[in-house]
Amino acid sequence: ATPAEDAASATPTVGTPVLDARLAALGAAFAGAGALAAGADRALADRLQAPAVQARPGLRRGAVAFRWFAEPGMVVALPAVWAIGSAAGDRDVAAVGLRGTESIALALGTVGVVKLVAGRARPSVPGRDPGRWRLGDGLRHGSEFRSFPSGHTATAFAAATAVTAEVAARRPGTRWAVGVPLHALAAGAGWSRMFENRHWASDVVGGAAVGTLSALLVSRWHRAHPGSAFDRRLLPAGDPSGTR
C-alpha cells in the first residue's frame, strides 16, 4: 500500500487522535519528494518550455483541460454535489460533496498563507531562478512571487483524496476504481501548471502535499467526531458513521 492509502486506512475512531505517526510519515514522504523535485526544477521547466513542446496543440489543449478540472471544476462541482445530496435528503452524496468542499477550503487557505510568506518567484519571472525565495515577497510584490505551492494542484489533490476516502468508506472495494482516475487527473493539473510556465516542479509537489494532507485531516477528524454540530447543521439526517 502507498503511504496515502496507509494514512487513509488508519482512519481514527471516536476519541482517538487525528494526527498520528502514519500521517507524519506521509508528510515526510512528500517533503522528500519535494526536495528531489527541487533539484530538477530548472531542467524540467526548460524542457517543458522548449519551442517544440510548446508548439504541440494537443499538449496545450490538454493543459487547459487539466487546469479547468481543478479550478473552477472541483471548486464548483463539489459544493454542487453537497447541495444536490442535501436537497434529495441523501446523506451519503451530501457528505462526499461537503468533505470535498471542506478539504479544498482548508487546502486553499493553507496555500494562500504560504504563498504570501514564502515569496518564491514563478518560472515566468525574468531571470528564471528556482532558488529565488524572499520572505514576504508574495505579499509585497503580487502574484508573480506566489509560486510556492501550486494552488491548482492543491485543489485537485484535495478533491481527489477527499472523494476517494468518502466513497471508499461507503462502498468498500472502490478505492482503486475511484482513486486512480481522480489522482491521475490531479497529477495532470499539476503538470499543466508546469507546462503553462506558472510553477516549478517542487511547487507542484508542495501543492499535492497540501491538498492530500488537508483532505486526510478533514476525513479523519470527521470519523473521530461523528454526529458533530457541523454535520448536524449541514448534512441530512442519517447514519453519522459514514458507512453503510
Side-chain angles (χ1 to χ4, degrees):
T2 65
E5 290 164 350
D6 285 342
S9 65
T11 300
T13 55
V14 178
T16 61
V18 174
L19 297 172
D20 62 14
R22 289 188 177 186
L23 208 60
L26 179 60
F30 271 119
L36 290 173
D41 274 339
R42 186 187 294 277
L44 288 171
D46 288 346
R47 183 164 187 169
L48 284 174
Q49 295 311 304
V53 174
Q54 288 290 310
R56 297 179 185 176
L59 291 181
R60 300 192 71 82
R61 287 192 293 268
V64 172
F66 281 127
R67 170 164 47 86
W68 275 70
F69 162 76
E71 297 177 21
M74 290 297 98
V75 175
V76 173
L78 288 171
V81 169
W82 166 73
I84 291 167
S86 296
D90 190 324
R91 185 183 179 92
D92 286 350
V93 171
V96 170
L98 182 60
R99 300 292 179 256
T101 301
E102 292 175 79
S103 299
I104 289 174
L106 177 59
L108 288 182
T110 303
V111 163
V113 172
V114 176
K115 279 179 177 288
L116 294 177
V117 174
R120 189 184 201 187
R122 295 186 187 272
S124 55
V125 171
R128 200 171 180 73
D129 181 8
R132 203 303 197 168
W133 304 70
R134 290 182 187 169
L135 193 66
D137 267 9
L139 181 61
R140 290 190 294 268
H141 300 304
S143 176
E144 289 303 296
F145 296 88
R146 297 175 187 170
S147 192
F148 182 86
S150 166
H152 283 76
T153 309
T155 295
F157 274 88
T161 304
V163 171
T164 300
E166 293 302 312
V167 173
R170 290 160 173 79
R171 297 285 189 276
T174 62
R175 183 175 301 280
W176 286 98
V178 174
V180 169
L182 284 178
H183 282 84
L185 288 167
W191 167 82
S192 76
R193 304 308 285 150
M194 295 169 59
F195 181 86
E196 294 178 330
N197 206 32
R198 298 302 291 164
H199 287 289
W200 305 101
S202 52
D203 297 336
V204 168
V205 175
V210 171
T212 300
L213 293 172
S214 294
L216 290 175
L217 285 170
V218 166
S219 179
R220 289 159 66 92
W221 189 90
H222 282 291
R223 297 282 185 265
H225 301 85
S228 66
F230 183 83
D231 280 358
R232 289 198 300 273
R233 289 187 178 91
L234 294 177
L235 291 178
D239 178 8
S241 67
T243 60
R244 286 189 182 274

